[in-house]
Amino acid sequence: MSITEKTSDNNSSTTETRTSNADSIIQIENLNKWYGAFHVLKDINLDVAKGERIVVCGPSGSGKSTLIRCINRLEEFQEGSLTVDGVALNEDIKNIEAVRREVGMVFQHFNLFPHLTILENLTLAPLWVRKIPKKEAEATAMEYLERVKIPDQALKFPGQLSGGQQQRVAIARSLCMNPKIMLFDEPTSALDPEMISEVLDVMVELAEEGMTMLCVTHEMGFAKKVADRVIFMDAGQIVEQNNPHEFFDNPQNERTQAFLSQIIGH
Amino acid sequence: MDNTFTPIEARKPPSSAIGPIAWMKESLFSSPVNTLLTVFFGYLIIRFVPPVIDWAFISANWVGTTQDECTKSGACWIFIKQWFSQLLYGSYPENLHWRVNLALIGLVAVVVLQFFLPQHLRRRVGWVSLLVYPLVSLWLMYGGFGLETVSTDKWGGFSLNILLAFAGILMSLPIGIIWALGRQSKMPFVRVVCISSIELFRGVPLITILFMGSVMLPLFFPAGVQLDKLMRAFIAITLFQSAYMAEVIRGGLQAIPKGQVEAANSLGLGYWKTMRLIVLPQALKISIPNIVNTFIALFKDTTLVLIIGLFEVLSTIQAALQNSNWLGGHHIEGYVFVAFVFWVFCYTMSRISVHIENKLNTGHSRS
């Protein structure tokens, strides 16, 4: 590939992100966050289009989890602005709860509610937040359990399920709220190798249905397969972003190249 | 070569590992030290248990009405028998004892119902009885609305201990929960108020709080306004135990992983719903042994109200021991009886707690 081609590719991808502003669902402008005196996120600017699938990667401590946790305000930030689906995330608790209703999140350690059955885990938020009638909520829950292929576990407790099954339940639990955006925070990092693919399969399916997704993950196979854009972060900054094809084959930044050679070299 | 993997079928353990003889070998005589301990404690049991049984049952005096009829060498249970009504009801009018009985039976019924009702009714009945039972039992005890009024200075005996304990438990749990949540609040005012209440009431002996309640509190009321003595004791006990309860529950709250709150928040649940539906059910569950421990302490602490002149069971025994007809020195019988009654109640509470723990175990703890 020639240099000119590369630049033009780069240009087109940047213009793509800019022009997608019209139907963008998340706008992050000049976001800065500190933990005490420690500057974790530095001047983050990011626009996410409706239906876009973004994979965020980077070394540990680079701020990638913190960034996506800011999107549903599990983390506060000190400077900049963050708008999700037209709602500005600020101190207003009403806005925060409104955003959280529309943004689903899947955690590294599943965080299922151990005192509730699988079915109750799934119906809890629809019942108490969306005020959906119980029968309807249960029907929806069973539908999603069907989709993640574990309807037979509905009456068990989380502790009786394998890690992969628990993570699939966690995904189904988020989907029951019918979110517009799904955030994944290293969803496969705590899983045994044999269980990673069953979770990734569900995520791929979700991506194919057009869900807006932001995934912090090191599953590069997944990134290549479904991502529209791969973002590389280090030291609290977005170092490089591009479509997966360009990102993996022609990383621009030295830091990205070093990172990729580390994780793909093995 | 066959390359399919067939797991080996599970077999039974060898017979030397099961059965009574194996059990004895394992648990009584597994080592020289263990054998020595077994022999030593066996000796203690043989040496001391028969005399106690002899004193309490075989040589005990059961029949009669006065202490002169206690002729045998064992315990004089006639003393307890004659004072039984006082020990249980205090000075509550004899013809109205049925009201106390009814209240106590109601209490047992409420507890028993929780174990035998079908699952779907249990919670509903539990909440209703939690709201209705205290009012009904108060009405039965105090009277009014068609029943003859019995003022609280006539209440006494073991029924007073049970009443104080039950009311204290009923109030100290919710107050403790609120204080524990308040202690972790992000609002400085709420946090300071809760921490100071907890530290104030936890840092002072219960006897001091009882004295302050009975002697000092009336000084703050305008002349003529009288707060019932029993009410003051009840408030003192409740505040004292709430402080302990708050700390017990705080321990439970801190054991719940942060991820639980984050998951609940990310689903759109606000603070109160997160606490009520996610955090508290788990925190209270792991706190059950400590909560029941506090309940048991509270129950036993109700005997302390004797120092502000309420006639609960221990002060009734002391009064009985000083009665001119019963000066024969029945201290042992009296205190053994009180100890036994308390033990039965506390042990029952402890068993109920174990039962609830087992029932609530959803197998998520990796042990």
Side-chain angles (χ1 to χ4, degrees), chain B residues 214-231:
Chain B
S214 80
V215 181
M216 283 178 56
L217 206 61
L219 300 179
F220 296 111
F221 287 116
V225 177
Q226 264 273 346
L227 190 58
D228 194 277
K229 198 200 254 177
L230 181 62
M231 194 65 176

Side-chain angles (χ1 to χ4, degrees), chain B residues 300-337:
Chain B
K300 294 188 292 185
D301 280 352
T302 57
T303 52
L304 288 175
V305 300
L306 75 91
I307 62 141
I308 57 166
L310 288 169
F311 279 95
E312 49 70 60
V313 67
L314 206 57
S315 48
T316 312
I317 279 282
Q318 286 178 342
L321 287 170
Q322 279 156 23
N323 185 289
S324 55
N325 292 327
W326 294 93
L327 287 173
H330 303 294
H331 295 79
I332 300 180
E333 287 88 341
Y335 291 125
V336 164
F337 173 75

Side-chain angles (χ1 to χ4, degrees), chain B residues 27-30 32-44:
Chain B
S27 25
L28 296 178
F29 304 104
S30 62
V33 177
N34 259 352
T35 309
L36 208 69
L37 286 173
T38 303
V39 170
F40 176 66
F41 283 106
Y43 166 75
L44 283 188

Side-chain angles (χ1 to χ4, degrees), chain A residues 69 100 112 114-115 128, chain B residues 260 262 265 273 276-277 362:
Chain A
R69 285 160 60 88
R100 284 175 178 167
L112 295 180
H115 62 303
W128 289 90
Chain B
Q260 292 289 305
E262 289 178 353
N265 284 346
K273 279 179 190 160
R276 202 179 108 205
L277 300 167
T362 55

Side-chain angles (χ1 to χ4, degrees), chain A residues 122 139-151 168-169 171-172 175-176 178 198 201-211:
Chain A
L122 265 65
T140 316
M142 286 313 294
E143 221 171 87
Y144 281 112
L145 280 182
E146 209 77 63
R147 276 180 48 181
V148 298
K149 301 182 189 67
I150 31 177
R168 282 184 281 155
V169 171
I171 296 173
L175 293 177
C176 280
N178 202 9
E198 63 187 51
D201 286 347
V202 171
M203 289 170 64
V204 169
E205 225 173 86
L206 198 58
E208 281 162 0
E209 283 162 23
M211 173 68 77

Side-chain angles (χ1 to χ4, degrees), chain A residues 59-86:
Chain A
S60 62
S62 58
K64 52 198 190 308
S65 284
T66 311
L67 174 61
I68 69 161
R69 285 160 60 88
C70 281
I71 295 171
N72 65 353
R73 198 60 159 57
L74 287 183
E75 301 284 352
E76 298 175 10
F77 51 88
Q78 283 77 30
E79 274 180 13
S81 75
L82 207 168
T83 310
V84 179
D85 195 25

Side-chain angles (χ1 to χ4, degrees), chain A residues 53-111:
Chain A
R53 276 98 41 171
I54 294 179
V55 164
V56 186
C57 60
S60 62
S62 58
K64 52 198 190 308
S65 284
T66 311
L67 174 61
I68 69 161
R69 285 160 60 88
C70 281
I71 295 171
N72 65 353
R73 198 60 159 57
L74 287 183
E75 301 284 352
E76 298 175 10
F77 51 88
Q78 283 77 30
E79 274 180 13
S81 75
L82 207 168
T83 310
V84 179
D85 195 25
V87 180
L89 269 180
N90 45 30
E91 295 301 320
D92 192 345
I93 189 79
K94 277 217 177 100
N95 282 5
I96 295 172
E97 282 178 9
V99 166
R100 284 175 178 167
R101 278 196 294 271
E102 308 302 334
V103 179
M105 182 151 198
V106 176
F107 300 85
Q108 181 178 0
H109 295 287
F110 332 135
N111 296 353

